[in-house]
């Protein structure tokens, strides 16, 4: 059970309504920053809502508490509601609603020291032979954070692009804050997770950053504000206020001059509890890769939270892409109702209301797009995509 954090508002002039506090969960990851910044800057109070932030232990914990009403909403993997609804990562038919996207980019695949010298940064051509070499000594296992979650899908896209047979290796689920400790005791040879845990693996000389998620799909959706159906339906105006506070926080976070302050907040024990230097460096787009691979500087595709209004729109086409990955990688044996599920779970009409009131551009949807390591995806021809993409 995570501890509930109640922080005093930095803006004492605003008074909370008499209504019960709105409880939002988060996992200790750098990309919980929009919730943290909205709290620390007093933005929830500014918009007239009393928000409590609750640090949770795992994505399964977030899922269960959002569904049973212990949490009204949470910082959540963009694809987790899709995974849960389809039965990949929960009880099929359980509804978690996607209100908005919180960030793009900023995750990575880290490899253990076993791979050091066998494969370099973004060196996909050598991955399969490196795995074969290591398998002469031991089983090779990779970890992600939730079945059908974003990290799971980045990992599987990377394997497909590298020509790795996914049935030839182990794939396990580990909560984000436990990744480095598990690699340290040799429970896995690689993992896909959000920052700062890839940076921490380098700082502790446990592993190295092999590829960042923005190298797999530049400006991909990553975390979302996800809420339960009761909150979405019964407290619509409160949800809109929460979203407005978060959008203002996203704008603040994308002023690079504010990121050192954000890193200092995130480093606190009640938030991410990681070294401020690691948090700060990767927030600023500077990735010390480890394994004598040097530093990779990301100039326009580091972790972004607003990006001139490109981030926040929750796209149905992105939801459909994730659903297609479940078919691609064998989680689902037949095609789901791609459009119907996306329309059921994505609150795009609500987001459009908030965006209009905040003068935030709503991004066009249902258009074809291409990820860096894959072929073109057309949400209007998913069967064609699945017949041509690598498995």
């Amino acid at each position: 059970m995570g501890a509930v954090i109640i922080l005093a508002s930095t803006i004492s002039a605003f008074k909370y309504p008499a209504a019960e506090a709105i409880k939002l969960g988060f996992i200790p990851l750098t990309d919980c920053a929009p919730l943290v910044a909205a709290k620390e800057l007093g933005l929830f109070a500014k918009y007239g809502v009393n928000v409590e932030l609750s640090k949770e232990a795992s994505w399964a914990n977030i899922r269960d508490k959002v569904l049973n009403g212990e949490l009204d909403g949470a910082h959540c993997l963009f694809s987790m509601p899709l995974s849960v609804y389809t039965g990949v990562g929960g009880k099929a038919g359980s509804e978690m609603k996607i209100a908005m996207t919180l960030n793009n980019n900023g995750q990575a695949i880290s490899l253990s020291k076993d791979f050091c010298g066998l494969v370099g940064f973004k060196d996909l051509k050598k991955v399969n032979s490196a795995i074969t070499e290591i398998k002469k000594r031991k089983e090779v296992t990779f970890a992600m954070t939730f079945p059908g979650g974003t990290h799971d899908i980045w990992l599987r896209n990377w394997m497909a692009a590298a020509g790795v047979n996914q049935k030839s290796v182990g794939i396990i689920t580990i909560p984000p804050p436990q990744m480095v400790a598990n690699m340290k005791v040799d429970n896995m040879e690689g993992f896909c997770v959000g920052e700062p845990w890839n940076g921490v693996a380098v700082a502790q000389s446990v592993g190295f950053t092999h590829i960042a998620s923005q190298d797999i799909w530049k400006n991909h959706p990553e975390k979302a504000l996800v809420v339960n159906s009761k909150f979405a339906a019964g407290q619509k105006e409160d949800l809109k206020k929460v979203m407005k506070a978060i959008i203002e926080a996203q704008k603040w976070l994308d002023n690079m001059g504010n990121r050192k302050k954000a890193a200092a907040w995130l480093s606190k024990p009640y938030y991410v509890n990681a070294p401020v230097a690691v948090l700060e460096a990767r927030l600023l787009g500077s990735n010390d890769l480890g394994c004598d691979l040097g530093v990779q500087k990301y100039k326009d595709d580091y972790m972004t939270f607003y990006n001139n209004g490109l981030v926040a729109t929750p796209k149905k086409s992105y939801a459909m892409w994730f659903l297609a990955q479940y078919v691609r990688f064998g989680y689902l044996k037949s095609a789901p109702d791609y459009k119907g599920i996306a329309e059921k779970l994505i609150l795009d009409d609500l987001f459009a209301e908030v965006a209009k009131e905040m003068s935030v551009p709503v991004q066009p949807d249902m258009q074809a797009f291409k990820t860096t390591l894959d072929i073109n995806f057309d949400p209007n021809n998913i069967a064609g995509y699945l017949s041509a993409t690598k498995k």
Side-chain angles (χ1 to χ4, degrees):
M1 296 287 288
V4 174
I5 306 153
I6 306 175
L7 300 179
S9 168
T10 57
I11 302 179
S12 58
F14 295 102
K15 292 187 178 179
Y16 293 125
E20 265 187 55
I22 295 165
K23 295 178 181 176
L24 300 179
F26 70 92
I27 294 293
L29 290 161
T30 303
D31 51 28
C32 72
L35 274 65
V36 170
K39 188 69 177 180
E40 292 286 344
L41 293 169
L43 297 175
F44 290 129
K46 173 182 174 180
Y47 286 96
V49 283
N50 178 11
V51 171
E52 296 177 2
L53 299 184
S54 176
K55 183 175 179 176
E56 301 296 336
S58 68
W59 292 119
N61 213 212
I62 291 274
R63 173 199 62 201
D64 295 345
K65 288 187 175 184
V66 169
L67 289 174
N68 71 21
E70 286 184 66
L71 294 172
D72 297 297
H75 153 256
C76 188
L77 301 161
F78 183 93
S79 59
M80 197 164 100
L82 307 163
S83 171
V84 172
Y85 185 84
T86 55
V88 172
K91 183 182 177 183
S94 301
E95 293 185 20
M96 302 165 71
K97 306 285 190 176
I98 301 171
M100 62 182 289
T101 306
L102 294 177
N103 72 292
N104 293 165
N105 307 322
Q107 323 298 296
I109 293 172
S110 292
L111 299 177
S112 71
K113 288 297 186 72
D114 289 317
F115 282 90
C116 195
L118 296 177
V119 60
F121 178 63
K122 293 199 298 187
D123 194 1
L124 270 65
K125 291 180 180 178
K126 294 183 180 178
V127 169
N128 209 11
S129 60
I131 290 173
T132 301
E133 181 64 30
I134 294 167
K135 283 174 78 172
K136 293 175 182 177
R137 307 192 304 273
K138 61 179 180 177
E139 303 240 344
V140 174
T141 299
F142 295 95
M144 47 77 183
T145 64
F146 189 84
T150 53
H151 303 127
D152 184 17
I153 299 306
W154 310 146
L155 182 70
R156 292 176 190 275
N157 269 254
W158 166 73
M159 287 183 180
V164 176
N165 180 346
Q166 296 176 29
K167 294 180 180 178
S168 70
V169 296
I171 299 178
I172 60 175
T173 303
I174 301 285
Q178 297 175 26
M179 285 292 189
V180 177
N182 273 273
M183 183 174 276
K184 193 176 290 186
V185 297
D186 205 28
N187 281 345
M188 80 289 237
E189 284 62 55
F191 59 70
C192 184
V193 74
E195 298 300 348
W197 306 114
N198 300 284
V200 170
V202 172
Q204 295 187 7
S205 297
V206 173
F208 65 97
T209 302
H210 165 62
I211 190 169
S213 56
Q214 53 265 42
D215 300 314
I216 296 170
W217 175 3
K218 183 177 178 178
N219 294 333
H220 64 80
E222 180 50 44
K223 300 303 187 301
L225 175 66
V226 168
V227 296
N228 63 43
S229 296
K230 183 180 178 183
F231 182 60
Q235 292 178 255
K236 176 184 171 183
E237 292 306 314
D238 284 342
L239 175 53
K240 287 174 66 176
K241 291 172 185 176
V242 167
M243 293 166 69
K244 288 176 181 179
I246 289 173
I247 288 170
E248 193 168 326
Q250 288 176 305
K251 292 179 179 179
W252 182 88
L253 285 163
D254 267 9
N255 178 337
M256 297 303 281
N258 292 331
R259 293 206 170 186
K260 288 189 176 184
K261 180 176 281 189
W265 288 335
L266 292 166
S267 71
K268 301 299 183 186
Y270 43 79
Y271 287 136
V272 178
N273 194 25
V276 67
V278 174
L279 286 155
E280 185 180 300
R282 297 208 170 194
L283 267 174
L284 293 171
S286 180
N287 289 12
D288 179 359
L289 301 174
C291 192
D292 298 323
L293 294 172
V295 175
Q296 173 69 19
K297 301 271 191 180
Y298 289 93
K299 296 181 179 177
D300 67 344
D301 55 352
Y302 41 72
M303 187 181 290
T304 57
F305 300 96
Y306 186 70
N307 196 10
N308 299 311
L310 294 176
V311 174
T313 302
K315 293 188 181 183
K316 290 182 285 193
S317 57
Y318 289 171
M320 293 164 75
W321 182 86
F322 280 107
L323 290 169
Q325 304 309 302
Y326 301 162
V327 177
R328 177 187 181 188
F329 297 124
Y331 274 132
L332 298 178
K333 300 306 179 188
S334 59
D337 180 4
Y338 294 107
K339 190 174 182 183
I341 294 171
E343 288 177 347
K344 183 184 288 285
L345 299 185
I346 292 193
L347 302 176
D348 52 334
D349 289 344
L350 178 69
F351 178 79
E353 287 183 33
V354 172
K356 183 177 181 180
E357 292 169 20
M358 292 285 287
S359 298
V360 173
V362 176
Q363 299 306 310
D365 199 358
M366 295 306 290
Q367 299 177 337
F369 59 89
K370 186 182 181 301
T371 67
T372 309
L373 299 185
D374 197 13
I375 63 170
N376 202 57
F377 177 82
D378 183 352
N380 301 300
N381 183 18
I382 296 176
Y385 163 81
L386 288 172
S387 69
T389 189
K390 293 179 182 177
K391 300 297 188 288

PDB file of all heavy atoms in Angstrom, residues 43-67:
ATOM      1  N   LEU A  43      -1.376  24.683  -8.233  1.00  0.00           N
ATOM      2  CA  LEU A  43      -2.285  24.830  -9.372  1.00  0.00           C
ATOM      3  C   LEU A  43      -3.615  24.116  -9.159  1.00  0.00           C
ATOM      4  O   LEU A  43      -4.656  24.580  -9.634  1.00  0.00           O
ATOM      5  CB  LEU A  43      -1.601  24.334 -10.651  1.00  0.00           C
ATOM      6  CG  LEU A  43      -0.349  25.119 -11.058  1.00  0.00           C
ATOM      7  CD1 LEU A  43       0.318  24.485 -12.266  1.00  0.00           C
ATOM      8  CD2 LEU A  43      -0.699  26.584 -11.339  1.00  0.00           C
ATOM      9  N   PHE A  44      -3.609  22.990  -8.472  1.00  0.00           N
ATOM     10  CA  PHE A  44      -4.885  22.338  -8.160  1.00  0.00           C
ATOM     11  C   PHE A  44      -5.744  23.291  -7.318  1.00  0.00           C
ATOM     12  O   PHE A  44      -6.941  23.462  -7.559  1.00  0.00           O
ATOM     13  CB  PHE A  44      -4.667  21.023  -7.411  1.00  0.00           C
ATOM     14  CG  PHE A  44      -4.067  19.922  -8.243  1.00  0.00           C
ATOM     15  CD1 PHE A  44      -2.956  19.224  -7.797  1.00  0.00           C
ATOM     16  CD2 PHE A  44      -4.633  19.567  -9.460  1.00  0.00           C
ATOM     17  CE1 PHE A  44      -2.409  18.190  -8.553  1.00  0.00           C
ATOM     18  CE2 PHE A  44      -4.097  18.540 -10.224  1.00  0.00           C
ATOM     19  CZ  PHE A  44      -2.969  17.848  -9.769  1.00  0.00           C
ATOM     20  N   ALA A  45      -5.105  23.921  -6.330  1.00  0.00           N
ATOM     21  CA  ALA A  45      -5.828  24.883  -5.492  1.00  0.00           C
ATOM     22  C   ALA A  45      -6.308  26.074  -6.314  1.00  0.00           C
ATOM     23  O   ALA A  45      -7.428  26.567  -6.127  1.00  0.00           O
ATOM     24  CB  ALA A  45      -4.923  25.356  -4.356  1.00  0.00           C
ATOM     25  N   LYS A  46      -5.470  26.524  -7.236  1.00  0.00           N
ATOM     26  CA  LYS A  46      -5.838  27.661  -8.100  1.00  0.00           C
ATOM     27  C   LYS A  46      -7.135  27.384  -8.847  1.00  0.00           C
ATOM     28  O   LYS A  46      -7.984  28.281  -8.993  1.00  0.00           O
ATOM     29  CB  LYS A  46      -4.713  27.936  -9.094  1.00  0.00           C
ATOM     30  CG  LYS A  46      -5.053  28.977 -10.149  1.00  0.00           C
ATOM     31  CD  LYS A  46      -3.904  29.154 -11.137  1.00  0.00           C
ATOM     32  CE  LYS A  46      -4.307  30.085 -12.281  1.00  0.00           C
ATOM     33  NZ  LYS A  46      -3.206  30.274 -13.255  1.00  0.00           N
ATOM     34  N   TYR A  47      -7.303  26.152  -9.304  1.00  0.00           N
ATOM     35  CA  TYR A  47      -8.504  25.802 -10.066  1.00  0.00           C
ATOM     36  C   TYR A  47      -9.644  25.290  -9.178  1.00  0.00           C
ATOM     37  O   TYR A  47     -10.681  24.869  -9.678  1.00  0.00           O
ATOM     38  CB  TYR A  47      -8.155  24.788 -11.161  1.00  0.00           C
ATOM     39  CG  TYR A  47      -7.407  25.442 -12.308  1.00  0.00           C
ATOM     40  CD1 TYR A  47      -6.020  25.407 -12.363  1.00  0.00           C
ATOM     41  CD2 TYR A  47      -8.096  26.135 -13.298  1.00  0.00           C
ATOM     42  CE1 TYR A  47      -5.330  26.035 -13.394  1.00  0.00           C
ATOM     43  CE2 TYR A  47      -7.425  26.761 -14.334  1.00  0.00           C
ATOM     44  CZ  TYR A  47      -6.032  26.715 -14.381  1.00  0.00           C
ATOM     45  OH  TYR A  47      -5.352  27.351 -15.406  1.00  0.00           O
ATOM     46  N   GLY A  48      -9.420  25.328  -7.855  1.00  0.00           N
ATOM     47  CA  GLY A  48     -10.521  25.059  -6.926  1.00  0.00           C
ATOM     48  C   GLY A  48     -10.779  23.613  -6.604  1.00  0.00           C
ATOM     49  O   GLY A  48     -11.905  23.245  -6.252  1.00  0.00           O
ATOM     50  N   VAL A  49      -9.744  22.771  -6.715  1.00  0.00           N
ATOM     51  CA  VAL A  49      -9.908  21.361  -6.347  1.00  0.00           C
ATOM     52  C   VAL A  49      -8.850  20.968  -5.314  1.00  0.00           C
ATOM     53  O   VAL A  49      -7.709  21.426  -5.357  1.00  0.00           O
ATOM     54  CB  VAL A  49      -9.814  20.416  -7.574  1.00  0.00           C
ATOM     55  CG1 VAL A  49     -11.103  20.457  -8.377  1.00  0.00           C
ATOM     56  CG2 VAL A  49      -8.614  20.746  -8.456  1.00  0.00           C
ATOM     57  N   ASN A  50      -9.267  20.128  -4.390  1.00  0.00           N
ATOM     58  CA  ASN A  50      -8.381  19.623  -3.344  1.00  0.00           C
ATOM     59  C   ASN A  50      -7.892  18.247  -3.775  1.00  0.00           C
ATOM     60  O   ASN A  50      -8.647  17.268  -3.745  1.00  0.00           O
ATOM     61  CB  ASN A  50      -9.148  19.527  -2.022  1.00  0.00           C
ATOM     62  CG  ASN A  50      -8.311  18.961  -0.892  1.00  0.00           C
ATOM     63  OD1 ASN A  50      -7.099  18.826  -1.014  1.00  0.00           O
ATOM     64  ND2 ASN A  50      -8.953  18.617   0.205  1.00  0.00           N
ATOM     65  N   VAL A  51      -6.657  18.162  -4.208  1.00  0.00           N
ATOM     66  CA  VAL A  51      -6.101  16.916  -4.736  1.00  0.00           C
ATOM     67  C   VAL A  51      -5.058  16.351  -3.779  1.00  0.00           C
ATOM     68  O   VAL A  51      -4.155  17.062  -3.339  1.00  0.00           O
ATOM     69  CB  VAL A  51      -5.465  17.129  -6.128  1.00  0.00           C
ATOM     70  CG1 VAL A  51      -4.702  15.887  -6.584  1.00  0.00           C
ATOM     71  CG2 VAL A  51      -6.541  17.472  -7.153  1.00  0.00           C
ATOM     72  N   GLU A  52      -5.222  15.086  -3.444  1.00  0.00           N
ATOM     73  CA  GLU A  52      -4.219  14.352  -2.680  1.00  0.00           C
ATOM     74  C   GLU A  52      -3.489  13.421  -3.639  1.00  0.00           C
ATOM     75  O   GLU A  52      -4.116  12.726  -4.443  1.00  0.00           O
ATOM     76  CB  GLU A  52      -4.876  13.523  -1.575  1.00  0.00           C
ATOM     77  CG  GLU A  52      -5.573  14.331  -0.507  1.00  0.00           C
ATOM     78  CD  GLU A  52      -6.278  13.455   0.522  1.00  0.00           C
ATOM     79  OE1 GLU A  52      -6.184  12.212   0.395  1.00  0.00           O
ATOM     80  OE2 GLU A  52      -6.927  14.006   1.421  1.00  0.00           O
ATOM     81  N   LEU A  53      -2.165  13.387  -3.542  1.00  0.00           N
ATOM     82  CA  LEU A  53      -1.353  12.493  -4.362  1.00  0.00           C
ATOM     83  C   LEU A  53      -0.951  11.273  -3.540  1.00  0.00           C
ATOM     84  O   LEU A  53      -0.499  11.406  -2.403  1.00  0.00           O
ATOM     85  CB  LEU A  53      -0.105  13.210  -4.886  1.00  0.00           C
ATOM     86  CG  LEU A  53      -0.359  14.425  -5.782  1.00  0.00           C
ATOM     87  CD1 LEU A  53       0.972  14.979  -6.297  1.00  0.00           C
ATOM     88  CD2 LEU A  53      -1.291  14.098  -6.933  1.00  0.00           C
ATOM     89  N   SER A  54      -1.114  10.103  -4.117  1.00  0.00           N
ATOM     90  CA  SER A  54      -0.838   8.848  -3.421  1.00  0.00           C
ATOM     91  C   SER A  54       0.221   8.049  -4.168  1.00  0.00           C
ATOM     92  O   SER A  54       0.010   7.634  -5.311  1.00  0.00           O
ATOM     93  CB  SER A  54      -2.132   8.030  -3.312  1.00  0.00           C
ATOM     94  OG  SER A  54      -1.886   6.773  -2.719  1.00  0.00           O
ATOM     95  N   LYS A  55       1.359   7.859  -3.524  1.00  0.00           N
ATOM     96  CA  LYS A  55       2.449   7.089  -4.116  1.00  0.00           C
ATOM     97  C   LYS A  55       2.122   5.600  -4.033  1.00  0.00           C
ATOM     98  O   LYS A  55       1.888   5.074  -2.951  1.00  0.00           O
ATOM     99  CB  LYS A  55       3.752   7.390  -3.369  1.00  0.00           C
ATOM    100  CG  LYS A  55       4.995   6.696  -3.926  1.00  0.00           C
ATOM    101  CD  LYS A  55       6.226   7.181  -3.162  1.00  0.00           C
ATOM    102  CE  LYS A  55       7.488   6.517  -3.653  1.00  0.00           C
ATOM    103  NZ  LYS A  55       8.687   7.061  -2.965  1.00  0.00           N
ATOM    104  N   GLU A  56       2.107   4.936  -5.185  1.00  0.00           N
ATOM    105  CA  GLU A  56       1.705   3.534  -5.254  1.00  0.00           C
ATOM    106  C   GLU A  56       2.897   2.647  -5.626  1.00  0.00           C
ATOM    107  O   GLU A  56       3.873   3.103  -6.216  1.00  0.00           O
ATOM    108  CB  GLU A  56       0.575   3.355  -6.263  1.00  0.00           C
ATOM    109  CG  GLU A  56      -0.669   4.186  -5.950  1.00  0.00           C
ATOM    110  CD  GLU A  56      -1.346   3.800  -4.645  1.00  0.00           C
ATOM    111  OE1 GLU A  56      -1.174   2.652  -4.198  1.00  0.00           O
ATOM    112  OE2 GLU A  56      -2.062   4.643  -4.059  1.00  0.00           O
ATOM    113  N   ALA A  57       2.786   1.365  -5.297  1.00  0.00           N
ATOM    114  CA  ALA A  57       3.914   0.444  -5.425  1.00  0.00           C
ATOM    115  C   ALA A  57       4.065  -0.170  -6.808  1.00  0.00           C
ATOM    116  O   ALA A  57       5.169  -0.549  -7.201  1.00  0.00           O
ATOM    117  CB  ALA A  57       3.785  -0.676  -4.387  1.00  0.00           C
ATOM    118  N   SER A  58       2.969  -0.302  -7.545  1.00  0.00           N
ATOM    119  CA  SER A  58       3.028  -0.996  -8.838  1.00  0.00           C
ATOM    120  C   SER A  58       1.860  -0.562  -9.709  1.00  0.00           C
ATOM    121  O   SER A  58       0.879   0.015  -9.223  1.00  0.00           O
ATOM    122  CB  SER A  58       2.964  -2.513  -8.635  1.00  0.00           C
ATOM    123  OG  SER A  58       1.682  -2.890  -8.165  1.00  0.00           O
ATOM    124  N   TRP A  59       1.962  -0.865 -11.005  1.00  0.00           N
ATOM    125  CA  TRP A  59       0.863  -0.544 -11.913  1.00  0.00           C
ATOM    126  C   TRP A  59      -0.380  -1.376 -11.587  1.00  0.00           C
ATOM    127  O   TRP A  59      -1.509  -0.898 -11.745  1.00  0.00           O
ATOM    128  CB  TRP A  59       1.290  -0.745 -13.357  1.00  0.00           C
ATOM    129  CG  TRP A  59       2.319   0.250 -13.802  1.00  0.00           C
ATOM    130  CD1 TRP A  59       3.588  -0.014 -14.244  1.00  0.00           C
ATOM    131  CD2 TRP A  59       2.181   1.678 -13.841  1.00  0.00           C
ATOM    132  NE1 TRP A  59       4.241   1.161 -14.543  1.00  0.00           N
ATOM    133  CE2 TRP A  59       3.403   2.214 -14.310  1.00  0.00           C
ATOM    134  CE3 TRP A  59       1.138   2.555 -13.516  1.00  0.00           C
ATOM    135  CZ2 TRP A  59       3.612   3.578 -14.473  1.00  0.00           C
ATOM    136  CZ3 TRP A  59       1.351   3.929 -13.671  1.00  0.00           C
ATOM    137  CH2 TRP A  59       2.565   4.424 -14.146  1.00  0.00           C
ATOM    138  N   ALA A  60      -0.183  -2.600 -11.134  1.00  0.00           N
ATOM    139  CA  ALA A  60      -1.337  -3.423 -10.728  1.00  0.00           C
ATOM    140  C   ALA A  60      -2.066  -2.769  -9.559  1.00  0.00           C
ATOM    141  O   ALA A  60      -3.301  -2.801  -9.477  1.00  0.00           O
ATOM    142  CB  ALA A  60      -0.882  -4.830 -10.363  1.00  0.00           C
ATOM    143  N   ASN A  61      -1.305  -2.163  -8.664  1.00  0.00           N
ATOM    144  CA  ASN A  61      -1.861  -1.424  -7.534  1.00  0.00           C
ATOM    145  C   ASN A  61      -2.712  -0.247  -8.024  1.00  0.00           C
ATOM    146  O   ASN A  61      -3.827  -0.028  -7.545  1.00  0.00           O
ATOM    147  CB  ASN A  61      -0.696  -0.918  -6.679  1.00  0.00           C
ATOM    148  CG  ASN A  61      -1.008  -0.849  -5.199  1.00  0.00           C
ATOM    149  OD1 ASN A  61      -0.477   0.031  -4.524  1.00  0.00           O
ATOM    150  ND2 ASN A  61      -1.818  -1.730  -4.679  1.00  0.00           N
ATOM    151  N   ILE A  62      -2.166   0.494  -8.991  1.00  0.00           N
ATOM    152  CA  ILE A  62      -2.901   1.612  -9.602  1.00  0.00           C
ATOM    153  C   ILE A  62      -4.196   1.100 -10.230  1.00  0.00           C
ATOM    154  O   ILE A  62      -5.283   1.653 -10.010  1.00  0.00           O
ATOM    155  CB  ILE A  62      -2.038   2.309 -10.670  1.00  0.00           C
ATOM    156  CG1 ILE A  62      -0.866   3.059 -10.028  1.00  0.00           C
ATOM    157  CG2 ILE A  62      -2.888   3.217 -11.560  1.00  0.00           C
ATOM    158  CD1 ILE A  62      -1.127   4.455  -9.567  1.00  0.00           C
ATOM    159  N   ARG A  63      -4.087   0.035 -11.026  1.00  0.00           N
ATOM    160  CA  ARG A  63      -5.268  -0.541 -11.690  1.00  0.00           C
ATOM    161  C   ARG A  63      -6.371  -0.861 -10.686  1.00  0.00           C
ATOM    162  O   ARG A  63      -7.524  -0.439 -10.843  1.00  0.00           O
ATOM    163  CB  ARG A  63      -4.866  -1.816 -12.434  1.00  0.00           C
ATOM    164  CG  ARG A  63      -6.022  -2.612 -13.033  1.00  0.00           C
ATOM    165  CD  ARG A  63      -5.592  -4.038 -13.331  1.00  0.00           C
ATOM    166  NE  ARG A  63      -5.195  -4.752 -12.116  1.00  0.00           N
ATOM    167  CZ  ARG A  63      -4.429  -5.835 -12.092  1.00  0.00           C
ATOM    168  NH1 ARG A  63      -3.973  -6.354 -13.221  1.00  0.00           N
ATOM    169  NH2 ARG A  63      -4.116  -6.414 -10.944  1.00  0.00           N
ATOM    170  N   ASP A  64      -6.000  -1.611  -9.654  1.00  0.00           N
ATOM    171  CA  ASP A  64      -7.006  -2.077  -8.696  1.00  0.00           C
ATOM    172  C   ASP A  64      -7.659  -0.919  -7.951  1.00  0.00           C
ATOM    173  O   ASP A  64      -8.878  -0.908  -7.737  1.00  0.00           O
ATOM    174  CB  ASP A  64      -6.368  -3.055  -7.704  1.00  0.00           C
ATOM    175  CG  ASP A  64      -5.896  -4.339  -8.365  1.00  0.00           C
ATOM    176  OD1 ASP A  64      -6.308  -4.602  -9.512  1.00  0.00           O
ATOM    177  OD2 ASP A  64      -5.107  -5.071  -7.736  1.00  0.00           O
ATOM    178  N   LYS A  65      -6.869   0.068  -7.567  1.00  0.00           N
ATOM    179  CA  LYS A  65      -7.414   1.177  -6.780  1.00  0.00           C
ATOM    180  C   LYS A  65      -8.262   2.130  -7.615  1.00  0.00           C
ATOM    181  O   LYS A  65      -9.228   2.704  -7.110  1.00  0.00           O
ATOM    182  CB  LYS A  65      -6.279   1.932  -6.079  1.00  0.00           C
ATOM    183  CG  LYS A  65      -5.658   1.151  -4.932  1.00  0.00           C
ATOM    184  CD  LYS A  65      -4.672   2.008  -4.163  1.00  0.00           C
ATOM    185  CE  LYS A  65      -4.139   1.281  -2.934  1.00  0.00           C
ATOM    186  NZ  LYS A  65      -3.255   2.163  -2.138  1.00  0.00           N
ATOM    187  N   VAL A  66      -7.892   2.297  -8.890  1.00  0.00           N
ATOM    188  CA  VAL A  66      -8.736   3.123  -9.768  1.00  0.00           C
ATOM    189  C   VAL A  66     -10.066   2.416 -10.005  1.00  0.00           C
ATOM    190  O   VAL A  66     -11.139   3.022  -9.936  1.00  0.00           O
ATOM    191  CB  VAL A  66      -8.019   3.427 -11.099  1.00  0.00           C
ATOM    192  CG1 VAL A  66      -8.983   4.042 -12.106  1.00  0.00           C
ATOM    193  CG2 VAL A  66      -6.839   4.374 -10.874  1.00  0.00           C
ATOM    194  N   LEU A  67     -10.014   1.117 -10.240  1.00  0.00           N
ATOM    195  CA  LEU A  67     -11.235   0.368 -10.519  1.00  0.00           C
ATOM    196  C   LEU A  67     -12.161   0.253  -9.307  1.00  0.00           C
ATOM    197  O   LEU A  67     -13.382   0.285  -9.449  1.00  0.00           O
ATOM    198  CB  LEU A  67     -10.892  -1.029 -11.059  1.00  0.00           C
ATOM    199  CG  LEU A  67     -10.316  -1.071 -12.479  1.00  0.00           C
ATOM    200  CD1 LEU A  67      -9.887  -2.486 -12.837  1.00  0.00           C
ATOM    201  CD2 LEU A  67     -11.320  -0.552 -13.500  1.00  0.00           C
TER     202      LEU A  67
END
